[in-house]
Amino acid sequence: MLTPSAPDKLPLAIVSDIACPWCFIGKTRLETALANHNLTERVAITWLPYELNPEMPAAGMDRTAYLDGKFGPGKRREIELRLSEAALESGVTFNWAKVTKSVNTRMAHMLVAAAATVQRGGEMTAALFKAYWQDGRDIGDLETLVAIAVEQGFDEQAARDELANDELRETIIGLEAHAQKVGVTGVPFFIVDGKLAVSGAQPPEVWTQVFAQVLAGRQQDDDEDR
């Protein structure tokens, strides 16, 4: 069993987009690996924003039209089949019939950031992934996001205030720009203990190797400090 030698939690930053299906899969695979090694409560996860399509209209667009434009006509079924196969192995389900719109996720990222200020960023992220990929809700829509926030126990007016907060919006834009500046070109992207980068929706066995490497490095640092 892998366990951190230090009493402090292991920081793990996750750069992702709610509209990224591989991010949903990657999140679940990571959670499986953490549970397998009894690390769930020993890791401090920070969710960082990334927009696959920052130019997406605020109202979103038809998902089939979006995928046809991005990958070529008639590709949607092929893409969804490949994702469903990967998801099935990971314990994730997608409800493709309900996912009819590709959405602008900037406000969704703002909601996650607001929830993170009260240590609820992970829960909000999970709620948004479920809302979009399984329930087919329009997470680019203000009223939908407010409703999700209320369902998660947040005050309705507080949620509206955060989603209208220009300073928070600029913070999200700045974080996305920083991610690109340091070389993040795709998501999910993970930064473990502030130094080890992991790209893509890696399976639990890869995470086992990552945790072993990081925790061994921490142990070595502890030994050298004594």
Side-chain angles (χ1 to χ4, degrees):
M1 188 70 69
L2 301 172
T3 55
S5 58
D8 55 306
K9 290 191 175 185
L10 183 73
L12 200 167
I14 306 176
V15 186
S16 72
D17 191 5
I18 303 297
C20 165
W22 285 107
C23 292
F24 193 13
I25 293 172
K27 170 183 178 295
T28 305
R29 287 176 172 177
L30 169 64
E31 289 169 346
T32 297
L34 289 171
N36 287 347
H37 297 293
N38 197 30
L39 289 172
T40 302
E41 300 302 321
R42 303 301 303 273
V43 172
I45 294 177
T46 301
W47 291 91
L48 297 175
Y50 190 95
E51 291 180 66
L52 290 175
N53 188 352
E55 304 305 318
M56 176 68 69
M61 63 184 294
D62 176 80
R63 182 160 175 78
T64 299
Y66 170 71
L67 292 176
D68 284 353
K70 187 172 183 178
F71 299 107
K75 290 289 186 179
R76 175 172 180 170
R77 181 171 175 76
E78 178 184 334
I79 292 167
E80 291 176 351
L81 179 61
R82 182 161 53 92
L83 284 164
S84 291
E85 290 173 349
L88 186 63
E89 298 169 359
S90 307
V92 176
T93 56
F94 291 104
N95 192 339
W96 301 119
K98 287 191 174 182
V99 187
T100 59
K101 181 185 284 190
S102 287
V103 295
N104 182 304
T105 55
R106 180 147 312 158
M107 284 198 299
H109 286 303
M110 292 170 66
L111 194 57
V112 170
T117 64
V118 289
Q119 290 74 53
R120 296 280 305 281
E123 293 168 79
M124 186 63 75
T125 298
L128 289 166
F129 272 126
K130 178 182 182 298
Y132 184 59
W133 292 109
Q134 297 178 335
D135 301 334
R137 298 168 75 177
D138 182 357
I139 60 167
D141 174 69
L142 172 62
E143 296 304 322
T144 300
L145 290 172
V146 170
I148 292 170
V150 171
E151 290 162 13
Q152 291 300 303
F154 290 89
D155 177 75
E156 178 180 344
Q157 190 56 52
R160 291 186 184 279
D161 291 344
E162 294 289 11
L163 292 170
N165 187 328
D166 290 336
E167 184 176 341
L168 181 57
R169 184 181 301 274
E170 290 304 314
T171 297
I172 295 300
I173 293 171
L175 287 170
E176 291 175 351
H178 178 71
Q180 294 180 342
K181 184 178 180 180
V182 300
V184 179
T185 57
V187 286
F189 190 89
F190 307 83
I191 305 167
V192 188
D193 207 18
K195 50 196 169 189
L196 182 60
V198 179
S199 180
Q202 299 297 338
E205 53 267 29
V206 171
W207 280 112
T208 295
Q209 299 171 15
V210 170
F211 296 147
Q213 179 181 341
V214 171
L215 296 176
R218 277 194 153 200
Q219 184 64 58
Q220 182 178 352
D221 290 344
D222 289 346
D223 292 343
E224 291 174 352
D225 289 341
R226 288 173 184 156

